[in-house]
RNA sequence: GGGGCACUAGCUCAACGGAUAGAGUACCAGACUUCGAAUCUGUCGGUUCCGGGUUCGAAUCCCGGGUGCCUCGCCA
């Protein structure tokens, strides 16, 4: 496929000897209003270098580009050079490329099989998997898909929060007020109730805190009784988490969480000490970071037990040694920005030059209409309930629209569309933004939503079924672009052309919403094309050409939704 | 108090430093005997939080202020 921007830059590089081609490339624009052309080049900044008035420069450039057949029209508007791509050739090339590429269209060799780690979801054991966890889970899964698509060798890690003083609290609470059968029947809710009760009881009996710390210290020391309880809580919790992961279609290569590194930390505590980075303060071991504009980082507590950051140091080194990562990506809430800055700085100070390959991908906070979620106070919305709620609503809609469908089909589509709606909604906006969870928002299936895009895909599939196998086969062999002439068809072709660049951009920014928005644009564009033109016309050549367009749009929508981690049903 | 992030249409959000700031939603008005109406078309809707500055050009960059959220050694 022709890279138009490259081509324009090549021509302009000869016209503007004072600028590097890369600089020129950066100056090429895509006008928001397509009446201004497909590409535009503003000449204001050249005035100083070339010592001429911008419109004069634009005039010269216009002439130079006019001689190229890639463009059917080149227009000067004041200091702008507006370029209009030759449509027939463009449309033919794009559609052929998508149709022949199929599910590989948009893939890139940029990754060259380099190892990339994506750490995401990482819920705390024995605590509810709530709506706040959807962010890391879904954003991380999508980033993993995107990097895989770009050719990287991706390892997915669920860094479970399965360690720390909280388990001391949990064990203490269980021993005082627990019941085995309750835990077996409803693990998370029961364990959460222990955790909540602990925080109520501790108000009247502060010694419980000490008891919890001591209990965790015994766990860290590997005492059998504490280890068994901990293992049991972990197993029960993980079983509940996997239900949600199954619904979301999320998988992992490793569940090595915090506990996995519990015996790998002394080495680094020693190393920090030997490298003179650590000092004692009020009984705790700390690394001072004032000169880097940060507060000190606590490495070990005054009772000698370790902290989060210590485990993260151990985990990073372990991952470097095990996977030799090219990039080590952490999809973790922006609340932990300071923690990650401290941690990367400490790795740097320890002399690990790969610290710069570790990337924190932060995201904003989810709150509820009545305030911030609080596990301790039991003010949470369970993710599983949100997913089930969305599936329930979808099931009703399908039954209403399609009363004849059999139960099994309805159930399968309801899951794909309902869960897809939640996932798509989550990946619609920039991840750094905070938002307030609202049922009416996730259960909205009209406009810029997952179901809308899935519907568009199903509609395209329906047209292809009606067109018949012969026409579809013919379209994949070749077609005459002269039949695809409307503006809406051309706009659609442009969006399909941009798809590979959009994926690269999303990868570079660790920002799935870039993909989400582009797929919405494609769906909108396709629906306009659908309404503007009759596709299954009598004339065979015209029909074949339009079906090629439908195949291309369907293909890219499917790939795009796949990168978001969504299922793409052919009927709904 | 220190540090960080956010602020754009009634609401939810877009906009590589570029041309008249765009979508969805809500409201209103239209389009199914025709390829799927979970769709499409149109109308309405703006002091881009405020004030300076840089620039040919600022929602975007810099400085100051405001509001909200996050965070600042023994949780993660």
């Amino acid at each position: 496929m022709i890279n138009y921007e490259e081509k324009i830059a090549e021509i302009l590089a000869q016209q503007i000897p004072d600028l590097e081609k890369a600089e020129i490339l950066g100056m090429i624009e895509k006008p928001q209003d397509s009446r201004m052309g497909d590409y535009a080049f503003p000449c204001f900044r050249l005035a100083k270098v070339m010592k001429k008035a911008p419109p004069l420069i634009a005039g010269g450039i216009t002439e130079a580009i006019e001689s190229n057949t890639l463009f059917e029209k080149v227009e000067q508007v004041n200091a702008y050079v507006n370029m209009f791509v030759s449509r027939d050739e463009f449309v033919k090339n794009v559609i052929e490329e998508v149709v022949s590429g199929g599910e590989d269209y948009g893939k890139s060799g940029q990754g060259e099989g380099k190892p990339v780690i994506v750490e995401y979801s990482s819920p705390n054991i024995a605590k509810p998997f709530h709506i706040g966890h959807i962010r890391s889970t879904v954003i991380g899964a999508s980033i993993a898909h995107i990097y895989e698509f770009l050719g990287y060798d991706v390892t997915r890690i669920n860094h479970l929060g399965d360690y720390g003083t909280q388990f001391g609290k949990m064990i203490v609470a269980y021993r005082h007020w627990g019941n085995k059968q309750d835990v077996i029947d409803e693990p998370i809710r029961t364990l959460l109730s222990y955790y909540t009760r602990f925080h109520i009881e501790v108000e009247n009996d502060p010694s419980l805190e000490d008891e919890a710390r001591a209990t965790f210290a015994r766990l860290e020391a590997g005492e059998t009784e504490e280890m068994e309880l901990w293992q049991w809580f972990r197993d029960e919790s993980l079983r509940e988490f996997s239900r949600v992961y199954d619904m979301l279609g999320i998988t992992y290569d490793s569940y090595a969480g915090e506990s996995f590194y519990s015996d790998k930390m002394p080495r680094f505590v020693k190393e920090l000490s030997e490298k003179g980075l650590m000092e004692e303060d009020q009984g705790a071991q700390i690394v001072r970071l004032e000169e880097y504009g940060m507060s000190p980082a606590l490495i070990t507590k005054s009772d000698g037990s370790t902290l989060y950051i210590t485990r993260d140091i151990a985990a990073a080194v372990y991952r470097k040694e095990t996977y030799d990562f090219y990039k080590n990506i952490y999809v973790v809430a922006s609340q932990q920005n300071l923690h990650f800055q401290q941690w990367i700085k400490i790795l740097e100070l320890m002399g690990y030059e790969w610290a710069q390959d570790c990337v924190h991908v932060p995201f904003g906070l989810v709150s509820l209409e009545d305030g911030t979620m609080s596990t301790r106070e039991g003010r949470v919305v369970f993710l599983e309930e949100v997913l089930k709620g969305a599936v329930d609503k979808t099931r009703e809609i399908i039954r209403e629209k399609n009363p004849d469908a059999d139960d099994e089909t309805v159930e399968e589509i309801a899951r794909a569309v309902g869960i897809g709606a939640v996932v798509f909604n989550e990946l619609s906006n920039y991840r750094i933004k905070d938002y307030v969870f609202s049922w009416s928002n996730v259960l909205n299936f009209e406009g810029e939503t997952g179901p809308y895009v899935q519907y568009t895909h199903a509609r395209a599939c329906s047209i292809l079924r009606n067109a018949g196998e012969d026409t579809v086969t013919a379209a994949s062999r070749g077609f005459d672009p002269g039949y695809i002439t409307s503006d809406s068809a051309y706009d659609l072709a442009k969006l399909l052309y941009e798809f590979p660049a959009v994926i690269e951009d999303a990868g570079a920014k660790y920002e799935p919403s870039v993909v989400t928005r582009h797929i919405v644009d494609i769906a909108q564009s396709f629906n306009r094309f659908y309404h503007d033109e009759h596709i299954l016309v009598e004339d065979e050549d015209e029909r074949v050409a339009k079906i090629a367009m439908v195949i291309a749009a369907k293909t890219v929508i499917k790939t795009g939704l796949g990168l978001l981690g969504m299922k793409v049903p052919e009927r709904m």
Side-chain angles (χ1 to χ4, degrees), chain A residues 22 444 468 505:
Chain A
N444 173 30
D505 189 40

Side-chain angles (χ1 to χ4, degrees), chain A residues 374-435:
Chain A
S374 167
T375 299
R376 286 184 189 184
E377 293 168 29
R379 194 169 61 234
V380 292
V381 173
F382 287 76
L383 178 51
E384 190 172 6
E385 284 177 9
V386 173
L387 297 176
K388 280 182 177 165
V391 173
D392 289 346
K393 178 175 174 185
T394 312
R395 194 183 297 116
E396 279 174 36
I397 295 174
I398 296 171
R399 284 255 156 75
E400 193 181 299
K401 289 179 189 292
N402 203 343
D404 303 329
D406 64 280
D407 289 355
E408 203 179 321
T409 311
V410 169
E411 201 50 35
E412 192 186 327
I413 295 168
R415 280 176 72 103
V417 176
I419 292 166
V422 178
V423 171
F424 194 91
N425 182 60
E426 174 57 39
L427 296 176
S428 289
N429 300 334
Y430 276 127
R431 54 179 161 71
I432 201 64
K433 301 248 185 184
D434 295 343
Y435 72 87

Side-chain angles (χ1 to χ4, degrees), chain A residues 28-187:
Chain A
I28 298 169
E29 293 171 4
K30 285 178 222 157
Q32 284 186 15
D33 187 340
S34 59
R35 285 172 302 182
M36 313 274 206
D38 300 307
Y39 295 97
F41 190 79
C43 298
F44 303 100
R45 278 153 65 189
L46 297 175
K48 272 184 190 165
V49 202
M50 297 178 71
K51 301 196 172 83
K52 271 204 280 188
L56 282 177
I57 302 168
I61 287 173
T62 302
E63 278 177 35
I65 295 177
E66 262 173 348
S67 60
N68 194 297
T69 56
L70 284 180
F71 302 98
E72 63 187 21
K73 189 169 76 172
V74 185
E75 226 175 39
Q76 182 202 343
V77 181
N78 295 319
Y80 284 91
V81 180
N82 294 335
M83 293 159 265
F84 296 79
V85 167
S86 299
R87 290 195 177 188
D88 277 10
E89 193 194 346
F90 175 79
V91 167
K92 188 169 175 59
N93 288 344
V94 175
I95 296 179
E96 276 179 359
E97 181 132 337
V98 179
V99 171
S100 66
E103 61 187 22
D104 289 336
Y105 176 71
K107 276 191 182 171
S108 148
Q110 96 170 51
E112 300 173 332
K114 284 184 250 181
V116 164
I117 292 172
V118 185
E119 175 192 308
Y120 60 103
S121 196
S122 310
N124 287 329
I125 294 297
K127 286 197 192 168
F129 201 53
H130 59 69
I131 187 66
H133 292 111
I134 194 178
R135 305 216 71 184
S136 176
T137 307
V138 168
I139 293 168
S142 179
I143 289 174
H145 280 127
I146 290 168
Y147 270 81
E148 214 156 53
F149 197 68
L150 292 173
Y152 294 90
D153 180 15
V154 175
T155 299
R156 296 157 160 88
I157 297 180
N158 195 340
H159 192 74
L160 293 170
D162 58 1
Y163 222 55
T165 313
Q166 52 178 334
F167 289 92
K169 292 177 182 174
M170 195 70 74
I171 291 169
V172 167
Y174 177 73
R175 281 174 175 160
H176 283 289
W177 319 292
N179 177 298
K180 189 173 180 179
Q181 194 56 44
D182 289 348
V183 177
I184 292 168
D185 292 342
E186 266 211 287

Side-chain angles (χ1 to χ4, degrees), chain A residues 264-279:
Chain A
K264 298 176 177 57
M265 287 177 284
R267 169 184 156 192
F268 299 102
V269 177
K270 193 167 161 238
E271 189 178 329
L272 282 164
S273 173
E274 282 169 1
K275 289 181 174 166
L277 297 168
M278 205 165 63
E279 62 185 76

